Amino acid sequence: MKGDFSKERELSPASGMVGLLMAFLLLAGGTAVIICSALFLKGPAFGILLAVGILLVCAVSLPVMGLKVVAPKEALVLVLFGTYYGTIRQEGFYLVNPFCMGVNPSIRSTPTTIAGGNIQIGTSFSKKVSLKTMTLNNEKQKVNDQLGNPVIVGAVVIWKVVNPTKAVFNVNNYKTFLSIQCDSVIRNVSRLYPYDIGDDGSGSSESDEKTLRGSTREVAGKMCYELQERVKDAGLEISDVQITHLSYAPEIASAMLQRQQAVAIIAARQKIVEGAVGMVEMALEKLNENDVVELDEERKAAMVSNLLVVLCGNKDAQPIVNSGSIY
């Protein structure tokens, strides 16, 4: 199992209290030896016992170096002399091999400047890998839809690390890897759909046609599936992808807005004409049924024309009272 990280090796190390007890005993023993050598011995025996005491005090650092604290929803991946040693998943206080080192390439050391600005030391952060559910807020990016129209798409990815060993060793930086793959998936999926129905100018409005604007949930689901396939070797799990922003790019937004307005105006006019024709038919039928007035074809045509003008006009009609005969 040594050096093989294709399968995770979960460790169950000793309690950290054992390490603390060892450190205390070494410190107490070394201190006692140093004091006794100084009080009761002289000559070569004094030097030998003093050296032993100093070594015991220095040895305190070994169990202290092996103390590791793992919080809930965290994991610690350990290497020993460049070889994979094991992973601690359970929270607790542990004692491990003091020569083991935690590995997490996504966390880098940050230089800290000492007073005067002449000396810099690296401040290392915790090497633990978080197993908590996290959010990647992918910035808005310009992509092309199925018809080549530039659109702006932004998305949020809900993800977590399920295999910290793969996350640490299979990719250089799993956070950067996820961000880059998310950008690629958004670009690839967006080009499979048009932005809206009828964007190709055909005026087609088939209900089963999927679009970026009308089928957001389906498009996000496809993004989630494709992104999961890409990052599974990195030990990551994608819980959900949500599209947070969707719009035309600024260079075509004005033209597309005018087109949408024109389509809306045409649709509204169509509804108005359909309603007006129905009202005219009803009016003529009622007049014929009740024998209110008999109109020849010419008068019916004039009446239909007047009613359509009144019902379809943008402004309120101004009535004109005819005080004479209509013939």
Side-chain angles (χ1 to χ4, degrees):
M1 198 68 187
K2 185 177 181 180
D4 180 16
F5 51 85
S6 60
K7 294 183 180 179
E8 188 175 75
R9 178 186 181 187
E10 187 170 351
L11 298 177
S12 298
S15 173
M17 299 305 297
V18 175
L20 285 179
L21 180 60
M22 291 173 58
F24 175 77
L25 293 177
L26 288 173
L27 180 60
T31 303
V33 170
I34 292 174
I35 293 175
C36 290
S37 63
L39 293 178
F40 304 108
L41 298 178
K42 294 181 180 180
F46 166 73
I48 295 174
L49 203 59
L50 180 62
V52 171
I54 294 174
L55 289 176
L56 289 175
V57 172
C58 293
V60 173
S61 60
L62 291 178
V64 172
M65 290 170 54
L67 297 178
K68 306 294 181 183
V69 178
V70 180
K73 290 292 183 179
E74 285 185 347
L76 183 61
V77 181
L78 300 173
V79 294
L80 179 62
F81 303 128
T83 303
Y84 175 56
Y85 183 77
T87 303
I88 304 176
R89 279 179 168 268
Q90 297 297 323
E91 66 271 16
F93 183 40
Y94 299 106
L95 174 65
V96 299
N97 190 319
F99 298 103
C100 286
M101 297 179 58
V103 180
N104 188 352
S106 65
I107 298 177
R108 301 296 183 184
S109 296
T110 302
T112 302
T113 303
I114 307 300
N118 297 323
I119 302 177
Q120 289 188 344
I121 60 174
T123 303
S124 60
F125 294 90
S126 172
K127 296 295 184 178
K128 302 179 185 68
V129 179
S130 176
L131 303 180
K132 300 176 183 178
T133 300
M134 292 179 281
T135 301
L136 170 64
N137 186 13
N138 190 270
E139 297 295 334
K140 301 174 185 176
Q141 58 176 315
K142 183 186 295 186
V143 301
N144 293 329
D145 68 355
Q146 188 182 47
L147 305 175
N149 296 323
V151 296
I152 306 297
V153 181
V156 168
V157 179
I158 310 300
W159 65 283
K160 63 180 178 180
V161 177
V162 293
N163 191 320
T165 305
K166 286 185 176 181
V168 167
F169 292 117
N170 283 3
V171 293
N172 185 42
N173 186 324
Y174 62 88
K175 294 182 180 179
T176 304
F177 178 77
L178 174 62
S179 179
I180 294 174
Q181 294 302 319
C182 182
D183 291 343
S184 177
V185 165
I186 289 176
R187 187 174 301 277
N188 290 338
V189 174
S190 296
R191 66 182 177 84
L192 300 177
Y193 304 92
Y195 179 86
D196 202 358
I197 294 176
D199 271 354
D200 56 355
S202 63
S204 175
S205 59
E206 298 179 4
S207 59
D208 59 345
E209 182 182 2
K210 290 183 173 56
T211 63
L212 295 176
R213 189 178 71 88
S215 307
T216 304
R217 185 62 262 175
E218 290 81 357
V219 174
K222 186 172 182 61
M223 289 181 180
C224 182
Y225 174 78
E226 186 170 332
L227 184 58
Q228 178 62 67
E229 289 298 309
R230 294 192 179 201
V231 302
K232 64 181 181 181
D233 289 336
L236 308 181
E237 179 183 286
I238 308 301
S239 301
D240 194 16
V241 175
Q242 295 288 342
I243 296 177
T244 57
H245 180 87
L246 181 63
S247 65
Y248 285 112
E251 57 265 29
I252 67 167
S254 178
M256 289 300 180
L257 179 60
Q258 292 178 0
R259 188 189 67 81
Q260 290 177 352
Q261 291 174 341
V263 171
I265 292 173
I266 292 173
R269 288 293 182 184
Q270 183 178 359
K271 291 294 183 181
I272 292 174
V273 171
E274 290 176 357
V277 170
M279 294 176 68
V280 170
E281 291 177 350
M282 182 182 64
L284 293 176
E285 290 177 0
K286 291 294 183 182
L287 290 175
N288 290 333
E289 289 177 1
N290 299 332
D291 294 329
V292 176
V293 63
E294 293 184 2
L295 300 175
D296 57 19
E297 295 301 321
E298 182 181 354
R299 298 303 177 183
K300 286 182 180 180
M303 179 179 177
V304 169
S305 175
N306 292 336
L307 287 174
L308 289 177
V309 169
V310 171
L311 296 173
C312 299
N314 288 330
K315 298 180 181 180
D316 295 337
Q318 300 294 328
I320 298 176
V321 178
N322 186 3
S323 60
S325 173
I326 61 175
Y327 294 100

